[in-house]
């Protein structure tokens, strides 16, 4: 009964893989082949085509879908080309090769989990995880420190735990996604899939055609002399099927021409460098402070004061202070005076300051 069950499962898998079998193949002499698939899709079903990563550029450039009958194509999607390291880098933890469990849990500091030790369950937040080195008397051990709900810090031996459970549903889903990505990469490192989604209206006939890199077909000729002596020239075409799928009831055409073909990088994500627009420098305005022109030691006022008396000295000091505040100091061009009256002329502002002693 077990053998019959395995056989039935194998037949079902093969039938699902042959949902849209290859119906037409055209091979050229310039390293590209044309493929056409057709078949029936049930309501809401999706068709999947598997390609190598190196074939995706030509698939995205040439894929054409034709639907016959009812229903509509709701979408077309394909696997990203991001390597496994880029996908796993988004997770808050990393599971390395032969990495101890304590090291992985140490990356999840603060996450809550439950550890079961027989009939006892210990719950708390992760403080740290560490690997205790072995000694002559004790083997190497893995320990985990938790902060319990009551605030107590407790160090537990992971090897004695019979179960570990993360209480956060989001963290549980991240572990599932992480393991699913590892499983997908383990199945095939070079396989990429293209999915054609349909609506759930009704069944329809679907035709999909595309071009992918293909080996160049080769020709061989033989000259055969029969018993009658009449020569017969035979020509043979050598075709290599490297798609990994058998061609059964396929219309095969071989073209000797070499059309021009280019490889367009459509599969790899492309980013464009954009110029940076700096924000305006919005500094606060401040008052403009000019350098003061007042001289605390008014030399002229002191000089006149000593010669003509306190009255003249005080008057000239005030006049000099007003003049320096109004304009920059200029060289004195002329000075004349007599007892009781003093006048000063300053160029080039033509400002005259005078003081009279009473």
């Amino acid at each position: 009964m077990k053998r019959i069950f395995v056989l039935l499962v194998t037949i079902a898998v093969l039938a699902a893989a042959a949902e849209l079998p290859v119906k037409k193949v055209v091979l050229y002499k310039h390293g590209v082949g044309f493929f056409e698939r057709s078949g029936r899709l049930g309501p809401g079903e999706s068709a999947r085509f598997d390609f190598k990563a190196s074939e995706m550029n030509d698939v995205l450039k040439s894929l054409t879908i034709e639907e016959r009958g009812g229903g509509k194509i709701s979408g077309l999607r394909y696997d990203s080309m991001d390597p496994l390291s880029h996908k796993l880098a988004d997770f808050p933890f990393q599971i390395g090769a032969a990495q101890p469990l304590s090291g992985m849990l140490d990356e999840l500091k603060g996450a809550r989990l439950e550890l079961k030790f027989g009939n006892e369950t210990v719950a708390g937040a992760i403080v740290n995880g560490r690997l205790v080195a072995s000694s002559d008397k004790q083997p190497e051990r893995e320990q985990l420190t938790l902060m319990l709900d009551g605030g107590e810090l407790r160090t537990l031996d992971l090897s004695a735990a019979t179960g570990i459970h993360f209480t956060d549903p989001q963290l549980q889903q991240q572990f599932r996604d992480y393991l699913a990505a590892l499983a997908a990469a383990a199945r095939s490192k070079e396989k990429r899939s293209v999915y054609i989604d349909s609506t759930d209206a009704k069944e329809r006939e679907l035709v999909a055609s595309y071009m992918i890199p293909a080996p160049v077909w080769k020709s061989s000729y033989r000259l055969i002399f029969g018993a009658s002596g009449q020569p017969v020239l035979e020509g043979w075409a050598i075709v290599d099927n490297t798609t990994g799928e058998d061609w059964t009831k396929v219309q095969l055409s071989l073209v000797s021409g070499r059309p021009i073909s280019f490889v367009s990088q459509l599969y790899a994500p492309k980013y464009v460098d954009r110029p940076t627009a700096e924000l305006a420098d919005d500094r606060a305005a401040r008052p403009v402070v000019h350098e003061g022109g007042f001289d605390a030691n008014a030399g002229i006022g002191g000089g006149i004061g000593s010669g003509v008396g306190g009255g003249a000295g005080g008057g000239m000091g005030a006049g000099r202070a007003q003049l320096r505040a109004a304009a920059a100091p200029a060289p004195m061009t002329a000075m004349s005076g007599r007892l009781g009256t003093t006048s000063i002329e300053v160029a080039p502002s033509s400002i005259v300051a005078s003081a009279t002693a009473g």
Side-chain angles (χ1 to χ4, degrees), residues 133-204:
S134 60
S135 60
D136 297 337
K137 298 182 179 180
Q138 293 182 349
E140 192 175 56
R141 296 176 302 158
E142 294 187 68
Q143 293 182 349
L144 184 68
T145 302
L146 296 181
M147 172 175 275
L148 306 184
D149 295 337
E152 176 188 358
L153 294 178
R154 182 179 297 184
T155 301
L156 305 171
D157 190 1
L158 285 178
S159 60
T162 58
I164 300 176
H165 174 69
F166 290 99
T167 58
D168 186 2
Q170 184 177 1
L171 188 57
Q172 296 177 12
Q173 186 61 40
Q174 287 179 335
F175 267 95
R176 295 190 187 97
D177 296 340
Y178 191 99
L179 297 177
L182 290 177
R187 287 194 298 268
S188 178
K189 296 182 179 180
E190 291 296 327
K191 186 182 71 173
R192 301 292 187 271
S193 299
V194 176
Y195 303 89
I196 302 176
D197 300 328
S198 61
T199 60
D200 56 356
K202 55 183 178 180
E203 193 178 51
R204 83 293 314 276

Side-chain angles (χ1 to χ4, degrees), residues 2 20 53 84 86 115 129 148 157 182 191 219 225 261-262 294 299 309 334 353:
K2 292 183 179 180
L20 293 180
L84 180 63
H86 288 182
L115 285 87
L148 306 184
D157 190 1
L182 290 177
K191 186 182 71 173
S219 58
F225 292 91
S261 178
F262 300 94
F294 176 75

Side-chain angles (χ1 to χ4, degrees), residues 44-46 67 71-76 196-200 204:
E45 291 184 348
S46 297
E67 52 185 8
K72 293 183 179 180
I73 300 301
S74 59
L76 177 66
I196 302 176
D197 300 328
S198 61
T199 60
D200 56 356
R204 83 293 314 276

Side-chain angles (χ1 to χ4, degrees), residues 169-328:
Q170 184 177 1
L171 188 57
Q172 296 177 12
Q173 186 61 40
Q174 287 179 335
F175 267 95
R176 295 190 187 97
D177 296 340
Y178 191 99
L179 297 177
L182 290 177
R187 287 194 298 268
S188 178
K189 296 182 179 180
E190 291 296 327
K191 186 182 71 173
R192 301 292 187 271
S193 299
V194 176
Y195 303 89
I196 302 176
D197 300 328
S198 61
T199 60
D200 56 356
K202 55 183 178 180
E203 193 178 51
R204 83 293 314 276
E205 184 78 15
L206 187 67
V207 179
S209 59
Y210 52 85
M211 299 185 72
I212 59 174
V216 176
W217 65 276
K218 301 173 286 291
S219 58
S220 175
Y221 300 94
R222 303 175 186 177
L223 183 61
I224 301 175
F225 292 91
S228 61
Q230 185 71 20
V232 177
L233 181 62
E234 292 182 350
W236 295 81
I238 302 174
V239 177
D240 299 307
N241 179 11
T242 60
T243 60
E245 180 182 352
D246 294 336
W247 294 347
T248 304
K249 297 181 181 180
V250 172
Q251 179 184 348
L252 178 63
S253 302
L254 305 177
V255 181
S256 60
R258 294 186 179 183
I260 300 176
S261 178
F262 300 94
V263 177
S264 301
Q265 297 296 334
L266 300 177
Y267 187 44
K270 184 178 180 180
Y271 299 93
V272 179
D273 294 334
R274 298 179 298 163
T276 302
E278 298 291 346
L279 297 178
D281 192 2
D282 222 4
R283 295 183 179 179
R286 61 179 182 178
V288 179
V289 180
H290 299 284
E291 184 179 358
F294 176 75
D295 190 356
N297 300 321
I300 297 178
I304 300 299
S306 60
V308 300
M316 287 304 300
R320 179 62 182 271
Q322 295 175 1
L323 180 63
R324 290 178 59 89

